[in-house]
């Protein structure tokens, strides 16, 4: 006796294949209509389950990563970046550096694409199955200070420390006091040798000491961050300014002839 479709679907669901169960009816009809072989039919069924599962995993991990904006390397125009070659970008995209716990420091003035590139590399890492988490320096300091009193801060920090790649955007953007610098050092020390960091900053490491105001802590932090690292200075004009929308538009159409 032929087993009923609903029984097959129940078994598929029990086997943790709900997506395949969901398209079974449709796929059976298609297979009958198009004379698919058993092998073709079976392949389509499992392929559907696999792609749906991968899509869901990606969505979940992207959410977990907390990127402020979804930016990819596909939309990153390398021609805007004279200081970086396509070959270098491809090499970074391979993520061997992540495997070897190297850090990446992206320096440059506002608008040159530091956050875009950091996020793009982060998205690439998520696609390849790494755990990534994005944070901004200001927010990070707040989390470190409230970790003992706020459960959500503790949870966020746990995400950071269990990631393979942590992005700290806008490092040293604002001055932090000695206590905060100490907390920051402890965190960097925890990452050291295990978790890769992408750090973006509009100030070079040589200026970080001024902002931290404590040369011993600064040296210790720099030591951990730069020991295995690649420092990239992004330059060029601000992409934001160059590609901005203006009220008056281009010279040619801003003057209307009176009629
Ligand atoms: P930064 O972090 O250096 O201040 P952003 O990464 O925020 O700069 O870039 C500012 C804006 O310009 C963003 O919308 C970003 O997507 C865009 N942008 C910057 N550089 C590029 C580039 N090379 N290709 C495409 N978009 C870029
Ligand atoms: Mg930025």
């Amino acid at each position: 006796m032929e087993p009923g479709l609903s029984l097959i679907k129940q078994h598929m669901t029990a086997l943790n294949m709900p997506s395949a169960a969901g398209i079974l009816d449709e796929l059976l009809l298609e297979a009958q209509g198009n004379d698919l072989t058993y092998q073709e039919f079976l392949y389509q069924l499992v392929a559907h389950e696999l792609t749906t599962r991968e899509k869901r995993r990606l969505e979940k991990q992207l959410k977990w990563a907390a990127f402020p904006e979804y930016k990819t390397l596909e939309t990153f125009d390398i021609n805007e970046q004279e200081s970086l070659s396509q070959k270098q970008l491809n090499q970074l995209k391979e993520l061997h550096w992540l495997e070897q716990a190297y850090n990446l420091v992206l320096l440059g003035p506002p608008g040159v694409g530091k956050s875009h590139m950091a996020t793009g590399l982060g998205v690439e890492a998520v696609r390849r199955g790494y755990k990534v988490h994005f944070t901004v320096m200001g927010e990070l300091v707040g989390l470190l200070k409230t970790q003992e009193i706020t459960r959500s801060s503790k949870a966020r920090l746990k995400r950071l420390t269990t990631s393979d790649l942590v992005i700290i955007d806008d490092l040293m953007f604002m001055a932090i006091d000695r206590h905060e610098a100490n907390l920051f050092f402890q965190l960097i020390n925890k990452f050291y040798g295990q978790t890769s960091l992408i750090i973006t900053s509009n100030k070079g490491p040589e200026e970080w000491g001024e902002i931290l105001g404590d040369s011993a802590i600064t040296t210790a932090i720099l030591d951990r961050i730069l020991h295995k690292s690649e420092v990239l200075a992004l330059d060029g004009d601000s992409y934001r300014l160059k590609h901005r929308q203006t009220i008056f538009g281009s010279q040619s159409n801003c003057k209307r002839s009176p009629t």
Side-chain angles (χ1 to χ4, degrees), residues 6 40 66 80 99 168 175 177 183 185 190 192 226 256:
S6 67
E40 281 164 344
E80 296 282 342
E99 207 45 60
I168 306 175
D177 66 29
L183 290 172
F185 167 70
K190 220 181 253 178
Y192 182 57
L226 299 176
R256 289 213 200 119

Side-chain angles (χ1 to χ4, degrees), residues 60-80:
K60 198 168 145 215
Q61 289 301 324
L62 282 175
K63 204 164 162 203
W64 204 86
F67 298 117
E69 273 187 283
Y70 183 73
K71 298 262 176 185
T72 64
L73 292 180
E74 287 86 61
T75 60
F76 188 76
D77 185 359
I78 192 71
N79 297 322
E80 296 282 342

Side-chain angles (χ1 to χ4, degrees), residues 162-211:
T162 53
S163 290
D164 304 301
L165 170 66
V166 170
I167 299 170
I168 306 175
D169 205 17
D170 290 330
L171 187 84
M172 309 299 164
F173 207 67
M174 64 332 171
I176 59 176
D177 66 29
R178 180 181 291 235
H179 173 59
E180 292 164 344
N182 241 315
L183 290 172
F184 184 61
F185 167 70
Q186 283 167 30
L187 183 73
I188 293 294
N189 203 31
K190 220 181 253 178
F191 290 143
Y192 182 57
Q194 318 194 11
T195 309
S196 277
L197 304 173
I198 298 181
I199 287 170
T200 78
S201 183
N202 61 0
K203 292 208 163 53
E206 67 288 348
E207 290 172 274
W208 293 356
E210 270 171 44
I211 302 161

Side-chain angles (χ1 to χ4, degrees), residues 44-193:
Q44 288 202 7
L45 193 68
V46 289
H48 178 79
E49 178 66 38
L50 202 65
T51 31
T52 323
R53 215 177 270 195
E54 173 57 17
K55 207 171 133 222
R56 227 175 274 140
R57 183 199 70 81
L58 205 64
E59 274 165 16
K60 198 168 145 215
Q61 289 301 324
L62 282 175
K63 204 164 162 203
W64 204 86
F67 298 117
E69 273 187 283
Y70 183 73
K71 298 262 176 185
T72 64
L73 292 180
E74 287 86 61
T75 60
F76 188 76
D77 185 359
I78 192 71
N79 297 322
E80 296 282 342
Q81 267 311 323
E82 281 177 16
S83 48
L84 189 71
S85 70
Q86 182 66 54
K87 194 173 156 208
Q88 284 172 317
L89 185 65
N90 290 345
Q91 212 174 334
L92 290 176
K93 214 172 148 179
E94 287 296 314
L95 303 180
H96 294 311
W97 55 276
L98 177 49
E99 207 45 60
Q100 294 158 9
Y102 270 84
N103 297 331
L104 198 61
V105 181
L106 305 178
L107 302 176
V112 291
K114 302 183 297 295
S115 300
H116 187 146
M117 195 174 148
T119 306
L121 285 167
V123 168
E124 199 58 38
V126 170
R127 286 176 184 162
R128 296 197 190 201
Y130 292 102
K131 280 173 96 174
V132 181
H133 198 63
F134 186 107
T135 179
V136 181
M137 181 70 174
E139 177 193 49
L140 182 59
V141 170
L143 291 175
L144 287 168
K145 276 166 69 179
T146 53
Q147 59 183 323
E148 299 302 338
I149 43 171
T150 317
R151 206 188 281 174
S152 66
S153 298
K154 203 170 190 153
R156 276 293 301 282
L157 283 170
K158 180 116 194 273
R159 277 200 207 188
L160 283 168
T161 48
T162 53
S163 290
D164 304 301
L165 170 66
V166 170
I167 299 170
I168 306 175
D169 205 17
D170 290 330
L171 187 84
M172 309 299 164
F173 207 67
M174 64 332 171
I176 59 176
D177 66 29
R178 180 181 291 235
H179 173 59
E180 292 164 344
N182 241 315
L183 290 172
F184 184 61
F185 167 70
Q186 283 167 30
L187 183 73
I188 293 294
N189 203 31
K190 220 181 253 178
F191 290 143
Y192 182 57

